[in-house]
Amino acid sequence: MTNESDSAPGRRFRLTPAAVRAAALQAALVGAVVLLAWSLIATARQNLADQHIASGFGFLQQTAGFDVSQSLIAYNRSDTYGRVFLVGLANTLLVSVLGVLFATVIGFAVGIARLSPSWVLARLAGAYVEITRNLPLLFQILFWYLLMIGVLPGPRQSLEGPFGLVLNNRGLILPQPVAGVGLEWVAVAAGAAVVAAAVVSRWARARQARTGRGFPAGRVSALLIVGVPLAVFLLLGQPLTLAPAELRGFNFIGGIRLVPEFVALVAGLALYTAGFIAEIVRAGIQAVDRGQSEAAASLGLRPGRTLQLVVIPQAMRVIVPPLTSQYLNVVKNSSLAMAVGFPDLVAVFAGTTLNQTGQAIEIIAMTMAVYLAISLLTALAMNLYNRRLAPVGR
């Protein structure tokens, strides 16, 4: 038994000669770093001025004068370089988010398949991992790009799928959503359903902790999230229609067109990263003690439920840290978009804009800051998620 006298004393700052010397050395180090940075900036500005090269960020207000093949926001060639920056940033974020999403789904499926008792399925998953991990990402992106423009038919012989989907060597064309009167109420119903599902899940957890009795919160939440907005959508007379693209002349008009460069880039990033994620998932599952699965089986849980309720939740504590590194790699590898001509941030801002304005230092610094910010925010989100997975008391 311990008392206050046995507890370790708190650290107190004492103004000793050693502490003064340490503080002085640290202050001198900070001052030297600041002085060095200021000297580099001043030298760079003086060199630019001597060569009559403009500096500063005023170029962001100048007219760009070039088109961008795909943009998530309204843009034309009369817009400014600042608008070009936003177009490139939006495209980079879109590629990164879709790459992370598809890579996670494929990686988890392949990782679990590698541990399948089926000999064929496990070998096929292993072959996928070895092929995707051991080929350079750039070649994989080029392969998918050349496959799309070389193998897929032209617009007149397009492959047509359900809901107006069209695939040809000009890209993937999706139907254009057209909003009708009352669609906003469907969105309100969807938001209310999500809140209700969260309340139900919270109540179910508290009920199980209090009484030990389970409640199908997952199925009830799914029913709320899907059923409530669908019911409101039908009651309002389906206030959302899909307008498919129409073939006119040599190309399709209308719809949402995903250019081949975008499809090839997302496919390459997702399939390449999924190979690494699959190995991370496999290692995480094998790190869980076999006794956990045996105990679940003794309680009557089927293998699928054992994997879902017992193994995966424990394996996530091992999976999440290396998974974060793979997500960061997806963000950074998205800069390979320039190889196939997709207008991401590097292509339109650090490429075309830099060539036209010549302000390399500002543009490269802004581009680096964007990738750094995205990576830090991604790491922060994953660290917060990993903290939630940590056992209580550790």
Side-chain angles (χ1 to χ4, degrees):
M1 183 175 180
T2 60
N3 52 38
E4 292 185 0
S5 60
D6 298 330
S7 61
R11 298 184 61 183
R12 295 179 180 177
F13 176 75
R14 295 180 180 178
L15 191 61
T16 60
V20 172
R21 285 196 300 272
L25 287 174
Q26 294 180 53
L29 179 60
V30 172
V33 171
V34 172
L35 183 62
L36 178 62
W38 176 255
S39 175
L40 291 175
I41 294 173
T43 303
R45 295 186 64 177
Q46 184 61 44
N47 290 338
L48 292 174
D50 293 342
Q51 299 175 28
H52 305 290
I53 298 177
S55 61
F57 295 92
F59 72 96
L60 293 174
Q61 303 302 322
Q62 298 174 7
T63 302
F66 61 88
D67 293 320
V68 176
S69 61
Q70 181 167 322
S71 173
L72 295 178
I73 60 176
Y75 172 82
N76 58 61
R77 59 169 53 204
S78 62
D79 285 324
T80 63
Y81 289 119
R83 191 76 174 178
V84 171
F85 172 79
L86 295 178
V87 169
L89 175 60
N91 286 342
T92 294
L93 290 175
L94 177 64
V95 169
S96 301
V97 170
L98 291 180
V100 165
L101 179 63
F102 290 133
T104 303
V105 173
I106 299 172
F108 268 75
V110 175
I112 294 173
R114 287 210 69 185
L115 301 173
S116 170
S118 170
W119 186 88
V120 175
L121 183 60
R123 295 304 179 275
L124 286 176
Y128 171 85
V129 170
E130 296 304 328
I131 291 173
T132 54
R133 285 197 317 171
N134 292 297
L135 288 175
L137 174 58
L138 178 60
F139 289 146
Q140 294 191 42
I141 294 174
L142 290 174
F143 171 78
W144 291 114
Y145 178 63
L146 296 174
L147 187 69
M148 285 203 67
I149 63 173
V151 175
L152 291 178
R156 289 183 179 277
Q157 295 79 31
S158 298
L159 304 175
E160 298 185 6
F163 307 109
L165 291 176
V166 177
L167 181 65
N168 55 46
N169 59 11
R170 304 287 178 86
L172 177 64
I173 304 174
L174 310 175
Q176 176 79 42
V178 179
V181 179
L183 184 62
E184 64 275 11
W185 290 110
V186 179
V188 172
V194 171
V195 173
V199 172
V200 168
S201 299
R202 188 180 182 87
W203 171 81
R205 286 197 298 270
R207 177 175 180 266
Q208 185 169 12
R210 188 176 63 254
T211 66
R213 291 188 297 172
F215 183 81
R219 280 176 283 182
V220 172
S221 299
L223 183 63
L224 285 172
I225 294 174
V226 176
V228 172
L230 180 61
V232 176
F233 179 76
L234 295 176
L235 287 174
L236 293 176
Q238 304 181 13
L240 179 67
T241 56
L242 298 177
E246 297 180 5
L247 180 62
R248 297 179 184 174
F250 297 99
N251 206 351
F252 279 86
I253 305 299
I256 301 174
R257 189 165 71 97
L258 303 178
V259 295
E261 295 82 4
F262 171 79
V263 178
L265 179 63
V266 173
L269 283 174
L271 294 174
Y272 174 78
T273 310
F276 293 90
I277 293 179
E279 283 299 274
I280 293 171
V281 171
R282 181 187 61 81
I285 292 175
Q286 289 183 325
V288 178
D289 189 83
R290 184 182 295 272
Q292 298 289 322
S293 300
E294 296 172 351
S298 67
L299 294 174
L301 285 180
R302 291 175 295 179
R305 297 290 288 173
T306 300
L307 187 68
Q308 176 188 355
L309 300 176
V310 178
V311 177
I312 292 293
Q314 298 183 69
M316 289 302 292
R317 295 201 297 267
V318 180
I319 292 173
V320 169
L323 187 63
T324 303
S325 299
Q326 295 305 318
Y327 287 173
L328 299 182
N329 287 338
V330 171
V331 175
K332 291 179 284 189
N333 289 336
S334 67
S335 61
L336 291 174
M338 182 180 283
V340 290
F342 179 72
D344 76 326
L345 184 64
V346 175
V348 299
F349 193 64
T352 308
T353 302
L354 190 153
N355 291 331
Q356 289 189 355
T357 62
Q359 297 196 237
I361 294 178
E362 294 85 351
I363 290 176
I364 295 300
M366 289 178 65
T367 306
M368 291 172 61
V370 166
Y371 279 99
L372 180 63
I374 297 174
S375 298
L376 291 178
L377 289 176
T378 303
L380 175 62
M382 293 299 292
N383 288 336
L384 292 176
Y385 177 63
N386 192 36
R387 186 176 299 175
R388 291 193 59 185
L389 296 175
V392 177
R394 293 186 183 179

